[in-house]
Structures are given as structure tokens and as C-alpha cells.
Amino acid sequence: ETGVTQTPRHLVMGMTNKKSLKCEQHLGHNAMYWYKQSAKKPLELMFVYSLEERVENNSVPSRFSPECPNSSHLFLHLHTLQPEDSALYLCASSQDGTVSYNEQFFGPGTRLTVL
Amino acid sequence: GDSVTQMEGPVTLSEEAFLTINCTYTATGYPSLFWYVQYPGEGLQLLLKATKADDKGSNKGFEATYRKETTSFHLEKGSVQVSDSAVYFCALIGQGGSEKLVFGKGTKLTVNP
């Protein structure tokens, strides 16, 4: 595998379910991100991890819980979601601190539908 | 705060037509500017970038010039192909590189044969 991979690619869940999204980067990066992409809205940054520490949380509801066990893996745990949480969830990674801008590399996303 | 405004889509063109997608930004100092492309069913890919005023980013026949005086970074291609059909996102990172990417809403391009 190369680049940034995400599983599953599609997920349908009820509002009472608990599920997790997985992201893995094979680029040797030290920062990882979760974004939410909804129709007709800009990409929304949800969480940022740098060196496995959460450095930013843009006021995301607690029903979304991230986990970064190491620099290559990032999870997004989901529970008691709402239909408006249906969206494409994108993971990205970058190498912070070594260049003047942290170019981000994106995974293909998980298309989430909440019934 | 920093923001990016790009033209509303969708944009529909015939093959070999000229493409322009407008992008303007609001930011302090000298941000770095990017165009990302998202093909159907895929994640975002960096298309081109420019890190200082008057720089021209180019890739796959696409070009964009960093215009500080008009705070713009318009995307252009002289002759589009069906394979260019995708959603295009303009984005910036604030000066210093310690800020995070700020994206526009995206512009969907459809190229018909």
C-alpha cells in the first residue's frame, strides 16, 4: 500500500450504532488530520494530531472521538450519530516542521450514511 | 480569519474549451496558495501550488498565478479534456506555514466530449 488509505470506503449505520473509521499513512509523516466534506460546504477540519498528540479540535461534537495510537494510524470512533453527520470523511497526513508549508496528502475518504 | 472564495459551480464545458475557475482569498501577510483536485470517488490530490507573489504554479496543463495585488489565484487550462472532469478546490495556508489549510467550497467541472 502507498499513500494514505482509509477503511471502510462506505458505511451505513443507525443512530444507535457504534462504528470506527480507520486511516493509515505509508508516507512517514508525523501529522494526521480528519476532515468532514458535506455537500456544498467547504471542507471542515475536525481534528489534528501532530506527533500523536491532539493539537486541534475544532469544536467537534463528542459523538466523534479520535484516536491516534501511533504516527501511522488514525481512527475516528462514532457513536449515537445524527442524520446530519452523513458526509464524506477524509483523512490526510503531512510532515510538519520541515518545510515552509505542510502539504497534505489525502486518502480516498469514507462515505458515511446515518439512517 | 483567513478565507477562500471560489466561483460557484457547476461548470460544464466541451472538450478543448478554455477553462478559468476564479479564486480569491483573504489573509494577512503572504499565504501559500494551492489548487487541489478531487476525481469522482477519490480523495483530494494536490494539483499545483505557489508560495510567493507572482509565482506561477503549473501541472498537467493547468496554471495559476499568485496575484498579491488582486489577492487572486485563478486556475486556467487552455484545452480541457473529458478526464479533467472533477471538483477543484482552492486553498491557502497562512504565512509561516504553521497554520492549517483553509479551503474554498469547491467547483465541479464537467467536460463533455
Side-chain angles (χ1 to χ4, degrees), chain A residues 34-38 41-47 58, chain B residues 103:
Chain A
W34 279 117
Y35 287 88
K36 177 183 179 182
Q37 185 179 21
S38 304
K41 294 177 68 175
L43 265 72
E44 301 172 55
L45 179 63
M46 300 176 71
F47 299 103
N58 287 345
Chain B
F103 285 91

PDB file of all heavy atoms in Angstrom, chain A residues 34-38 41-47 58, chain B residues 103:
ATOM      1  N   TRP A  34      -8.371  14.689  10.379  1.00  0.00           N
ATOM      2  CA  TRP A  34      -9.700  14.264   9.941  1.00  0.00           C
ATOM      3  C   TRP A  34     -10.446  15.498   9.436  1.00  0.00           C
ATOM      4  O   TRP A  34     -10.490  16.526  10.115  1.00  0.00           O
ATOM      5  CB  TRP A  34     -10.514  13.649  11.076  1.00  0.00           C
ATOM      6  CG  TRP A  34     -10.224  12.217  11.379  1.00  0.00           C
ATOM      7  CD1 TRP A  34      -9.725  11.705  12.537  1.00  0.00           C
ATOM      8  CD2 TRP A  34     -10.443  11.087  10.525  1.00  0.00           C
ATOM      9  NE1 TRP A  34      -9.598  10.346  12.450  1.00  0.00           N
ATOM     10  CE2 TRP A  34     -10.031   9.928  11.216  1.00  0.00           C
ATOM     11  CE3 TRP A  34     -10.933  10.943   9.217  1.00  0.00           C
ATOM     12  CZ2 TRP A  34     -10.096   8.648  10.672  1.00  0.00           C
ATOM     13  CZ3 TRP A  34     -10.995   9.664   8.665  1.00  0.00           C
ATOM     14  CH2 TRP A  34     -10.583   8.533   9.398  1.00  0.00           C
ATOM     15  N   TYR A  35     -11.051  15.354   8.241  1.00  0.00           N
ATOM     16  CA  TYR A  35     -11.897  16.387   7.666  1.00  0.00           C
ATOM     17  C   TYR A  35     -13.283  15.805   7.412  1.00  0.00           C
ATOM     18  O   TYR A  35     -13.441  14.624   7.110  1.00  0.00           O
ATOM     19  CB  TYR A  35     -11.362  16.857   6.307  1.00  0.00           C
ATOM     20  CG  TYR A  35     -10.127  17.710   6.334  1.00  0.00           C
ATOM     21  CD1 TYR A  35      -8.857  17.132   6.309  1.00  0.00           C
ATOM     22  CD2 TYR A  35     -10.218  19.099   6.340  1.00  0.00           C
ATOM     23  CE1 TYR A  35      -7.726  17.921   6.309  1.00  0.00           C
ATOM     24  CE2 TYR A  35      -9.087  19.896   6.329  1.00  0.00           C
ATOM     25  CZ  TYR A  35      -7.844  19.298   6.307  1.00  0.00           C
ATOM     26  OH  TYR A  35      -6.719  20.075   6.293  1.00  0.00           O
ATOM     27  N   LYS A  36     -14.277  16.687   7.450  1.00  0.00           N
ATOM     28  CA  LYS A  36     -15.629  16.323   7.044  1.00  0.00           C
ATOM     29  C   LYS A  36     -15.976  17.094   5.776  1.00  0.00           C
ATOM     30  O   LYS A  36     -15.803  18.316   5.725  1.00  0.00           O
ATOM     31  CB  LYS A  36     -16.636  16.683   8.147  1.00  0.00           C
ATOM     32  CG  LYS A  36     -18.084  16.397   7.792  1.00  0.00           C
ATOM     33  CD  LYS A  36     -19.023  16.840   8.910  1.00  0.00           C
ATOM     34  CE  LYS A  36     -20.481  16.580   8.552  1.00  0.00           C
ATOM     35  NZ  LYS A  36     -21.408  17.046   9.628  1.00  0.00           N
ATOM     36  N   GLN A  37     -16.451  16.375   4.750  1.00  0.00           N
ATOM     37  CA  GLN A  37     -16.840  17.015   3.497  1.00  0.00           C
ATOM     38  C   GLN A  37     -18.327  16.798   3.276  1.00  0.00           C
ATOM     39  O   GLN A  37     -18.768  15.688   2.986  1.00  0.00           O
ATOM     40  CB  GLN A  37     -16.037  16.457   2.316  1.00  0.00           C
ATOM     41  CG  GLN A  37     -16.321  17.193   1.018  1.00  0.00           C
ATOM     42  CD  GLN A  37     -15.507  16.652  -0.153  1.00  0.00           C
ATOM     43  OE1 GLN A  37     -15.020  15.529  -0.143  1.00  0.00           O
ATOM     44  NE2 GLN A  37     -15.336  17.465  -1.172  1.00  0.00           N
ATOM     45  N   SER A  38     -19.086  17.874   3.427  1.00  0.00           N
ATOM     46  CA  SER A  38     -20.530  17.831   3.188  1.00  0.00           C
ATOM     47  C   SER A  38     -20.832  18.548   1.884  1.00  0.00           C
ATOM     48  O   SER A  38     -20.058  19.395   1.440  1.00  0.00           O
ATOM     49  CB  SER A  38     -21.279  18.521   4.330  1.00  0.00           C
ATOM     50  OG  SER A  38     -20.941  17.943   5.573  1.00  0.00           O
ATOM     51  N   LYS A  41     -20.523  22.645   1.020  1.00  0.00           N
ATOM     52  CA  LYS A  41     -19.868  23.323   2.142  1.00  0.00           C
ATOM     53  C   LYS A  41     -18.364  23.133   2.009  1.00  0.00           C
ATOM     54  O   LYS A  41     -17.899  22.129   1.476  1.00  0.00           O
ATOM     55  CB  LYS A  41     -20.345  22.749   3.476  1.00  0.00           C
ATOM     56  CG  LYS A  41     -21.797  23.009   3.786  1.00  0.00           C
ATOM     57  CD  LYS A  41     -22.212  22.342   5.080  1.00  0.00           C
ATOM     58  CE  LYS A  41     -21.554  22.952   6.283  1.00  0.00           C
ATOM     59  NZ  LYS A  41     -22.067  22.368   7.550  1.00  0.00           N
ATOM     60  N   PRO A  42     -17.581  24.087   2.508  1.00  0.00           N
ATOM     61  CA  PRO A  42     -16.128  23.890   2.489  1.00  0.00           C
ATOM     62  C   PRO A  42     -15.736  22.711   3.353  1.00  0.00           C
ATOM     63  O   PRO A  42     -16.469  22.336   4.274  1.00  0.00           O
ATOM     64  CB  PRO A  42     -15.591  25.198   3.082  1.00  0.00           C
ATOM     65  CG  PRO A  42     -16.709  26.166   3.001  1.00  0.00           C
ATOM     66  CD  PRO A  42     -17.962  25.375   3.090  1.00  0.00           C
ATOM     67  N   LEU A  43     -14.585  22.140   3.055  1.00  0.00           N
ATOM     68  CA  LEU A  43     -14.069  21.087   3.922  1.00  0.00           C
ATOM     69  C   LEU A  43     -13.930  21.626   5.339  1.00  0.00           C
ATOM     70  O   LEU A  43     -13.433  22.724   5.562  1.00  0.00           O
ATOM     71  CB  LEU A  43     -12.696  20.617   3.437  1.00  0.00           C
ATOM     72  CG  LEU A  43     -12.679  19.402   2.529  1.00  0.00           C
ATOM     73  CD1 LEU A  43     -13.215  19.760   1.165  1.00  0.00           C
ATOM     74  CD2 LEU A  43     -11.274  18.836   2.431  1.00  0.00           C
ATOM     75  N   GLU A  44     -14.371  20.825   6.296  1.00  0.00           N
ATOM     76  CA  GLU A  44     -14.302  21.225   7.695  1.00  0.00           C
ATOM     77  C   GLU A  44     -13.225  20.405   8.394  1.00  0.00           C
ATOM     78  O   GLU A  44     -13.310  19.175   8.424  1.00  0.00           O
ATOM     79  CB  GLU A  44     -15.642  20.969   8.392  1.00  0.00           C
ATOM     80  CG  GLU A  44     -16.826  21.691   7.805  1.00  0.00           C
ATOM     81  CD  GLU A  44     -18.115  21.224   8.444  1.00  0.00           C
ATOM     82  OE1 GLU A  44     -18.216  21.273   9.690  1.00  0.00           O
ATOM     83  OE2 GLU A  44     -19.032  20.789   7.711  1.00  0.00           O
ATOM     84  N   LEU A  45     -12.223  21.080   8.921  1.00  0.00           N
ATOM     85  CA  LEU A  45     -11.204  20.395   9.696  1.00  0.00           C
ATOM     86  C   LEU A  45     -11.804  19.988  11.041  1.00  0.00           C
ATOM     87  O   LEU A  45     -12.343  20.823  11.766  1.00  0.00           O
ATOM     88  CB  LEU A  45     -10.000  21.312   9.904  1.00  0.00           C
ATOM     89  CG  LEU A  45      -8.845  20.744  10.720  1.00  0.00           C
ATOM     90  CD1 LEU A  45      -8.238  19.541  10.029  1.00  0.00           C
ATOM     91  CD2 LEU A  45      -7.806  21.822  10.963  1.00  0.00           C
ATOM     92  N   MET A  46     -11.695  18.692  11.368  1.00  0.00           N
ATOM     93  CA  MET A  46     -12.261  18.199  12.630  1.00  0.00           C
ATOM     94  C   MET A  46     -11.192  18.053  13.697  1.00  0.00           C
ATOM     95  O   MET A  46     -11.353  18.543  14.812  1.00  0.00           O
ATOM     96  CB  MET A  46     -12.948  16.856  12.389  1.00  0.00           C
ATOM     97  CG  MET A  46     -14.082  16.884  11.378  1.00  0.00           C
ATOM     98  SD  MET A  46     -14.735  15.245  11.073  1.00  0.00           S
ATOM     99  CE  MET A  46     -15.574  14.897  12.621  1.00  0.00           C
ATOM    100  N   PHE A  47     -10.137  17.315  13.364  1.00  0.00           N
ATOM    101  CA  PHE A  47      -9.093  17.023  14.341  1.00  0.00           C
ATOM    102  C   PHE A  47      -7.728  17.048  13.667  1.00  0.00           C
ATOM    103  O   PHE A  47      -7.602  16.704  12.494  1.00  0.00           O
ATOM    104  CB  PHE A  47      -9.296  15.626  14.961  1.00  0.00           C
ATOM    105  CG  PHE A  47     -10.589  15.442  15.693  1.00  0.00           C
ATOM    106  CD1 PHE A  47     -11.632  14.746  15.114  1.00  0.00           C
ATOM    107  CD2 PHE A  47     -10.757  15.960  16.966  1.00  0.00           C
ATOM    108  CE1 PHE A  47     -12.840  14.572  15.786  1.00  0.00           C
ATOM    109  CE2 PHE A  47     -11.954  15.795  17.647  1.00  0.00           C
ATOM    110  CZ  PHE A  47     -12.995  15.104  17.052  1.00  0.00           C
ATOM    111  N   ASN A  58     -11.660  21.353  16.412  1.00  0.00           N
ATOM    112  CA  ASN A  58     -12.483  22.490  16.038  1.00  0.00           C
ATOM    113  C   ASN A  58     -13.918  22.356  16.517  1.00  0.00           C
ATOM    114  O   ASN A  58     -14.847  22.350  15.737  1.00  0.00           O
ATOM    115  CB  ASN A  58     -12.429  22.687  14.518  1.00  0.00           C
ATOM    116  CG  ASN A  58     -11.099  23.258  14.083  1.00  0.00           C
ATOM    117  OD1 ASN A  58     -10.337  23.761  14.884  1.00  0.00           O
ATOM    118  ND2 ASN A  58     -10.819  23.158  12.809  1.00  0.00           N
TER     119      ASN A  58
ATOM    120  N   PHE B 103      -9.886  25.889   2.956  1.00  0.00           N
ATOM    121  CA  PHE B 103     -10.377  25.525   1.626  1.00  0.00           C
ATOM    122  C   PHE B 103     -11.543  26.405   1.192  1.00  0.00           C
ATOM    123  O   PHE B 103     -12.333  26.885   2.017  1.00  0.00           O
ATOM    124  CB  PHE B 103     -10.881  24.079   1.627  1.00  0.00           C
ATOM    125  CG  PHE B 103      -9.814  23.038   1.648  1.00  0.00           C
ATOM    126  CD1 PHE B 103      -9.337  22.535   2.840  1.00  0.00           C
ATOM    127  CD2 PHE B 103      -9.281  22.545   0.471  1.00  0.00           C
ATOM    128  CE1 PHE B 103      -8.352  21.568   2.868  1.00  0.00           C
ATOM    129  CE2 PHE B 103      -8.298  21.571   0.479  1.00  0.00           C
ATOM    130  CZ  PHE B 103      -7.841  21.078   1.683  1.00  0.00           C
TER     131      PHE B 103
END
